Amino acid sequence: MATASSLTNTRTQTRPKSTYVSRTLARIKKNWQLYVLLALPVAWLLIFAYYPMYGAQIAFRDFLPGKPILQSEWVGLVNFQRFFESPMFARLMKNTIGLSIYSLVVGFPIPIILALMLNQLRTGLFKRSVQMVSYAPYFISTVVMVGLILQFLDLRRGPVNLFLQALGLPAVHFMGSAEMFPSIYVWTNVWQYTGFSTIIYLAALTTVDPALHEAAVVDGANRLQRMWHIDIPGILPVIVTLFILNMGQVLNVGFEKTFLMQNPLNLATAEVISTYVYKIGLAGGVANFSYAAAIGLFNSVIGLILLVSANWASQRLTQKSLF
Amino acid sequence: MTAEAKAAYKPRNKIRETGVDRAFNAVNYSILAVFLVVILYPLIYVVSASLSDGAAVISGRVVLWPVDFSLVAYQKIFAYERVWTGYGNSLFYAVVGTLVNVTMTLIAAYPLSRRDLPGRNIILGLFLFTLFFSGGLIPTYLLVKDLGLRNTRWALIIPQALSIWNLLIAITFMRTSIPHELLEASQLDGCSDFQYFTRILLPLSTPLIAVLALFYAIGHWNQFFAALLYLTNKDLFPLQIILRDILISSQVDMNMMEDLQSMAAREAMRELLKYALIVVASVPVLIIYPFAQRYFVKGIMLGSVKG
């Protein structure tokens, strides 16, 4: 009786809150079928995305396969310390960040410029051909792409060197050079992805108000001026959003392409964090899970920090941000 | 429609274009033409080389069109069993994987597209967070291993059952392209959420399903890393692993060469095989490309509307 009366008491005292709760409960009950649909995807997410985050604690432990994670000895930051002190640390950071910045500086503006240029064309056969052809390389798999690179740049039989020889120039051992690796990596990416990356900017350009262009034409603005003063400001939000997203990926150099392009001659510049984690943790003779997991976790955390900082900076500078 | 109409509409200059504009147009067209050639030439070269005689390829006589036309490389590839096993496996991963992907994406996207679902923002947040942070390669590998998925076909399907980017595309589509009134009207008629999903939402989502299926199928066909990580059984290898062995590690099966006596002939054949293999591996993608292109463009635009 006492509990019942106190229950009714609290209900009358905090009426707005409890009706809110009961209304929410009613809505949950009404929508139960939606939760049933969500159950499988959420279960998948918890297992395949969140459980590995929990499992990442092996970075702080001395983990041996076959033993439960929680029974492995806690060693704190030893694995991280070992990584920071290893001679590989400086090299990996330099290669990874260098390759990313190079990719960003070259690969980020080119699609924007191309989209602005394409946007100046009248819709017709030429415009459609440029679009159709330039999207095509996007669909080539990384393995085939690297195979293509190796074929074209082969020292003795590749068309590029055959061409150089035909001009009487010495052959260049492209794939055997550590200095040339970053450029080959970045410019072949430009070849493969530029066309496809223009799509999003072209979509954004269609939302620019044509009345602005008309007014500018009346005022005597030429095409270049209109591009600069109307088109670019019009797509700036999209540019900023993509730039922030790209910043979050600075440490995530494409594993597949780098890994497949590696050879003993270019490893000095071609070893990046992700390929090193794979080799230490899974490909080596003695798998060192904890050490590799520590390097991977370091990578993830720095990536998150970069993303959040880029977002914060953009919020300050342009009042535009992702979240 | 309005976007397309706007794009088609260009201010008509009754006044002749100025000198600056004409110069601009000339430069614009020239640069785009060069760009077109740079993209197209390597693609044409690969096809031409694969249809030429090996000696012509390695001596640099192939410039644009096939020289000494020959189909011998294709004949050898068609007779090579590993390529066919890989083809079959990749087809399996692409078909079954895509079915799983599309189903998972749709059943996750529909509830999350409903603004009246309590807890929607929290659940969506859980999904979005994984775009920016992950446990990393090693913990994921250990999980797949502990679940006993290693060296099974499921290792290439279940861990990648859902792509969060594609989920975002699906949610955006359901919010913006399907009128909200339909839900209210069907609820008045006593339609349950399941019924609304299967009878009204899905039939109206065919463009979305096409986009998702294409994104996922191409992803599976081109997938290499997961197979490298989780598979050691050669019978399960997808085509990309076999391509890696031949194109990048240059492991060409000597049985394919046994009729060739001289070293030079073998070397020429090895190169020829690589070009032909690149073509063979890309054929499925090339076949759907003209049709797919339109949908990919649509998908990207969907993702960018309110991403």
Side-chain angles (χ1 to χ4, degrees):
Chain A
M1 276 309 274
T3 40
S5 71
S6 72
L7 260 180
T8 40
N9 249 343
T10 41
R11 196 180 284 167
T12 44
Q13 272 164 10
T14 56
R15 187 168 203 104
K17 195 173 184 186
S18 95
T19 48
Y20 172 76
V21 169
S22 61
R23 250 189 299 148
T24 308
L25 281 174
R27 268 164 66 207
I28 290 177
K29 212 167 158 188
K30 201 186 109 213
N31 288 321
W32 67 271
Q33 294 185 334
L34 297 178
Y35 293 101
V36 171
L37 286 174
L38 261 180
L40 191 59
V42 168
W44 174 87
L45 185 76
L46 293 177
I47 295 171
F48 287 97
Y50 283 92
Y51 183 78
M53 291 183 202
Y54 168 80
Q57 61 173 287
I58 62 169
F60 304 96
R61 293 176 183 272
D62 187 15
F63 175 74
L64 290 171
K67 217 169 156 189
I69 293 176
L70 292 177
Q71 283 175 27
S72 317
E73 193 195 346
W74 183 269
V75 295
L77 295 172
V78 167
N79 289 310
F80 292 91
Q81 199 182 357
R82 184 175 150 205
F83 177 52
F84 299 146
E85 283 167 1
S86 90
M88 283 308 286
F89 177 68
R91 192 165 118 189
L92 288 175
M93 291 308 282
K94 191 175 146 238
N95 288 349
T96 310
I97 294 173
L99 209 53
S100 278
I101 304 275
Y102 191 175
S103 295
L104 205 60
V105 167
V106 172
F108 191 75
I110 290 182
I112 301 175
I113 296 167
L114 196 75
L116 290 168
M117 290 170 74
L118 275 170
N119 192 49
Q120 293 292 328
L121 299 182
R122 254 179 223 108
T123 314
L125 185 65
F126 182 68
K127 186 176 180 180
R128 267 183 283 127
S129 317
V130 173
Q131 288 181 283
M132 177 97 179
V133 170
S134 66
Y135 301 164
Y138 176 86
F139 300 90
I140 296 173
S141 77
T142 311
V143 176
V144 168
M145 185 63 205
V146 176
L148 272 177
I149 296 170
L150 299 185
Q151 283 306 100
F152 276 85
L153 299 181
D154 189 271
L155 180 59
R156 281 173 299 135
R157 300 169 301 253
V160 175
N161 273 320
L162 290 171
F163 179 70
L164 289 178
Q165 281 164 337
L167 293 180
L169 297 165
V172 181
H173 194 359
F174 292 99
M175 292 313 293
S177 148
E179 292 86 68
M180 270 187 257
F181 168 80
S183 294
I184 298 171
Y185 178 92
V186 168
W187 288 98
T188 51
N189 261 359
V190 168
W191 182 81
Q192 189 172 10
Y193 297 119
T194 294
F196 204 73
S197 313
T198 60
I199 296 176
I200 195 159
Y201 297 113
L202 284 171
L205 280 165
T206 60
T207 63
V208 173
D209 187 356
L212 291 173
H213 280 284
E214 278 170 61
V217 169
V218 170
D219 287 346
N222 65 38
R223 280 172 180 269
L224 209 55
Q225 288 167 325
R226 281 189 278 137
M227 202 190 254
W228 185 254
H229 293 288
I230 299 173
D231 287 340
I232 293 183
I235 61 171
L236 199 60
V238 176
I239 296 178
V240 170
T241 306
L242 288 180
F243 189 77
I244 297 172
L245 285 174
N246 272 304
M247 281 310 291
Q249 300 297 320
V250 160
L251 289 191
N252 297 345
V253 173
F255 170 90
E256 289 190 359
K257 191 172 175 189
T258 322
F259 178 72
L260 289 166
M261 282 177 74
Q262 284 176 349
N263 62 50
L265 296 171
N266 66 17
L267 213 52
T269 55
E271 191 79 282
V272 296
I273 295 177
S274 56
T275 56
Y276 191 65
V277 169
Y278 171 72
K279 286 176 194 170
I280 291 276
L282 300 172
V286 194
N288 195 337
F289 289 127
S290 283
Y291 185 44
I295 303 174
L297 189 62
F298 167 76
N299 197 10
S300 293
V301 170
I302 300 287
L304 191 62
I305 292 173
L306 283 172
L307 179 83
V308 173
S309 342
N311 192 56
W312 179 82
S314 150
Q315 173 81 46
R316 280 295 165 92
L317 295 173
T318 66
Q319 277 77 52
K320 291 181 183 83
S321 65
L322 273 184
F323 39 81
Chain B
M1 269 316 278
T2 50
E4 275 169 23
K6 268 187 199 165
Y9 179 78
K10 284 267 146 70
R12 266 185 230 307
N13 309 347
K14 289 277 161 50
I15 320 154
R16 256 180 45 177
E17 294 208 308
T18 62
V20 181
D21 277 354
R22 263 177 291 147
F24 175 88
N25 280 341
V27 173
N28 197 18
Y29 270 97
S30 324
I31 294 176
L32 287 172
V34 170
F35 176 73
L36 181 68
V37 172
V38 169
I39 302 286
L40 196 55
Y41 180 73
L43 300 173
I44 294 179
Y45 181 88
V46 170
V47 177
S48 296
S50 73
L51 292 169
S52 301
D53 182 66
V57 174
I58 62 167
S59 61
R61 281 191 289 128
V62 176
V63 177
L64 185 62
W65 302 118
V67 174
D68 301 332
F69 185 83
S70 131
L71 288 172
V72 62
Y74 289 96
Q75 283 163 357
K76 283 192 184 293
I77 287 174
F78 285 125
Y80 188 36
E81 199 192 347
R82 274 195 84 196
V83 170
W84 289 115
T85 318
Y87 234 88
N89 285 334
S90 283
L91 214 57
F92 174 86
Y93 297 129
V95 171
V96 178
T98 304
L99 276 175
V100 171
N101 289 144
V102 172
T103 311
M104 287 284 280
T105 311
L106 292 172
I107 59 175
Y110 169 54
L112 292 173
S113 73
R114 285 274 296 264
R115 291 177 199 279
D116 58 338
L117 183 77
R120 187 187 65 92
N121 286 330
I122 297 166
I123 300 171
L124 191 60
L126 273 180
F127 278 99
L128 293 185
F129 181 67
T130 63
L131 283 176
F132 307 117
F133 188 78
S134 79
L137 173 69
I138 305 293
T140 310
Y141 171 84
L142 291 172
L143 170 70
V144 171
K145 191 176 139 228
D146 290 344
L147 290 175
L149 292 175
R150 232 165 39 125
N151 264 329
T152 69
R153 290 180 189 275
W154 300 111
L156 301 200
I157 293 172
I158 296 176
Q160 293 101 306
L162 190 58
S163 140
I164 311 300
W165 290 113
N166 290 347
L167 177 66
L168 281 178
I169 289 177
I171 293 174
T172 310
F173 177 89
M174 289 176 185
R175 274 199 200 150
T176 56
S177 304
I178 296 182
H180 190 61
E181 293 77 13
L182 273 179
L183 177 66
E184 286 162 14
S186 59
Q187 278 174 339
L188 280 179
D189 289 343
C191 180
S192 75
D193 287 326
F194 285 155
Q195 284 169 328
Y196 177 78
F197 179 65
T198 52
R199 300 212 188 143
I200 295 171
L201 190 77
L202 288 187
L204 288 175
S205 299
T206 39
L208 171 72
I209 294 171
V211 169
L212 293 176
L214 284 164
F215 274 124
Y216 281 125
I218 302 263
H220 280 290
W221 186 263
N222 289 343
Q223 167 84 276
F224 162 74
F225 188 38
L228 177 76
L229 274 185
Y230 302 128
L231 300 182
T232 48
N233 180 353
K234 287 191 161 123
D235 295 335
L236 302 179
F237 279 173
L239 187 61
Q240 300 300 328
I241 293 279
I242 288 140
L243 288 175
R244 194 271 307 256
D245 291 347
I246 299 177
L247 293 178
I248 295 164
S249 313
S250 263
Q251 297 165 4
V252 177
D253 199 327
M254 277 303 147
N255 292 334
M256 293 172 91
M257 309 273 189
E258 61 190 1
D259 54 329
L260 301 169
Q261 296 309 319
S262 72
M263 278 298 283
R266 286 184 174 195
E267 199 162 305
M269 179 52 70
R270 187 171 294 157
E271 295 310 300
L272 200 56
L273 281 175
K274 289 182 183 175
Y275 285 116
L277 197 56
I278 289 174
V279 176
V280 170
S282 310
V283 158
V285 182
L286 285 178
I287 289 172
I288 57 167
Y289 173 60
F291 151 81
Q293 187 211 344
R294 200 162 53 99
Y295 282 104
F296 268 101
V297 173
K298 238 183 222 165
I300 297 272
M301 290 193 181
L302 270 179
S304 68
V305 177
K306 277 175 197 146

